[in-house]
């Protein structure tokens, strides 16, 4: 049996250091990344089944303070749905309006936004349960052949 390691999923945080919500999201993502990369030690007297089941897949965390490109924004809006354009870009009524408002002023982009590019998902804000749900459903890091 061969094991092919797939590349890690890329999770991007569009971050604003002056935002407490963005700082909370960054802290949560860093903790989740560290937890995912830890491996439990095998102790013959202990059963690690619950921990192994709860373990998340590793991911590559990309933190940027830059606003998204127009292509990235288009993807993010597709991931969250047209009705939530206002959660991503201030005052946006729909996807087209969001693109226009971001082009007018990059500060219209609301941070934090966490994006799972590989699996087409995004979370606006620092809702811990939504972020953890997104991370907990990342595919396994290896495939067998």
């Amino acid at each position: 049996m061969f094991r092919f390691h797939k590349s890690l999923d890329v999770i991007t945080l569009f971050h604003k250091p002056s935002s407490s919500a963005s700082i909370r999201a960054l802290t949560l993502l860093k903790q989740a990344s560290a937890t995912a990369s830890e491996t439990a030690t095998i102790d013959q007297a202990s059963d690690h089944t619950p921990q192994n089941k709860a373990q998340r897949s590793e991911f590559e965390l990309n933190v940027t303070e830059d606003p998204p490109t127009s292509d990235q924004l288009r993807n993010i809006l597709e991931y969250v749905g047209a009705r939530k354009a206002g959660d991503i870009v201030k005052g946006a009524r729909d996807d087209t309006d969001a693109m226009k408002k971001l082009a007018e002023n990059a500060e219209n982009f609301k941070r934090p936004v966490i994006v799972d590019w590989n699996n087409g998902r995004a979370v606006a804000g620092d809702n811990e349960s939504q972020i953890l749900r997104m991370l907990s459903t990342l595919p396994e890091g290896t495939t067998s052949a």
Side-chain angles (χ1 to χ4, degrees):
M1 179 177 359
F2 296 98
R3 291 196 151 239
F4 298 101
H5 291 279
K6 78 172 196 102
S7 58
L8 297 178
D9 288 328
V10 177
I11 304 293
T12 298
L13 168 63
F14 289 95
H15 181 55
K16 185 172 186 173
S18 61
S19 163
S20 59
S22 192
I23 292 168
R24 284 191 299 274
L26 176 60
T27 301
L28 180 63
L29 289 167
K30 283 182 176 181
Q31 288 172 344
S33 178
T35 301
S37 63
E38 289 177 354
T39 54
T41 58
I42 298 175
D43 179 347
Q44 293 178 344
S46 299
D47 180 8
H48 291 285
T49 305
Q51 293 91 335
N52 292 340
K53 285 182 181 175
Q55 192 171 33
R56 295 180 181 89
S57 296
E58 289 183 70
F59 59 91
E60 179 183 331
L61 179 58
N62 175 24
V63 180
T64 181
E65 294 178 27
D66 296 328
T69 65
S70 58
D71 286 339
Q72 288 174 323
L73 179 60
R74 194 172 294 111
N75 286 334
I76 292 167
L77 292 168
E78 180 182 311
Y79 300 161
V80 300
R83 295 185 326 260
K84 294 190 175 183
D87 293 348
I88 305 296
V89 178
K90 290 178 193 167
R93 295 180 308 275
D94 56 29
D95 293 5
T96 305
D97 196 34
M99 299 296 287
K100 180 181 162 198
K101 288 188 181 299
L102 182 65
E104 290 171 0
N105 185 353
E107 289 302 309
N108 285 332
F109 183 72
K110 293 182 177 182
R111 294 175 182 88
V113 174
I114 301 97
V115 185
D116 174 0
W117 302 108
N118 298 71
N119 299 295
R121 296 177 293 188
V123 174
D126 67 336
N127 184 315
E128 184 174 332
S129 64
Q130 286 182 342
I131 296 168
L132 291 175
R133 189 176 318 119
M134 180 175 74
L135 297 177
S136 69
T137 58
L138 289 176
E140 291 298 320
T142 59
T143 57
S144 298

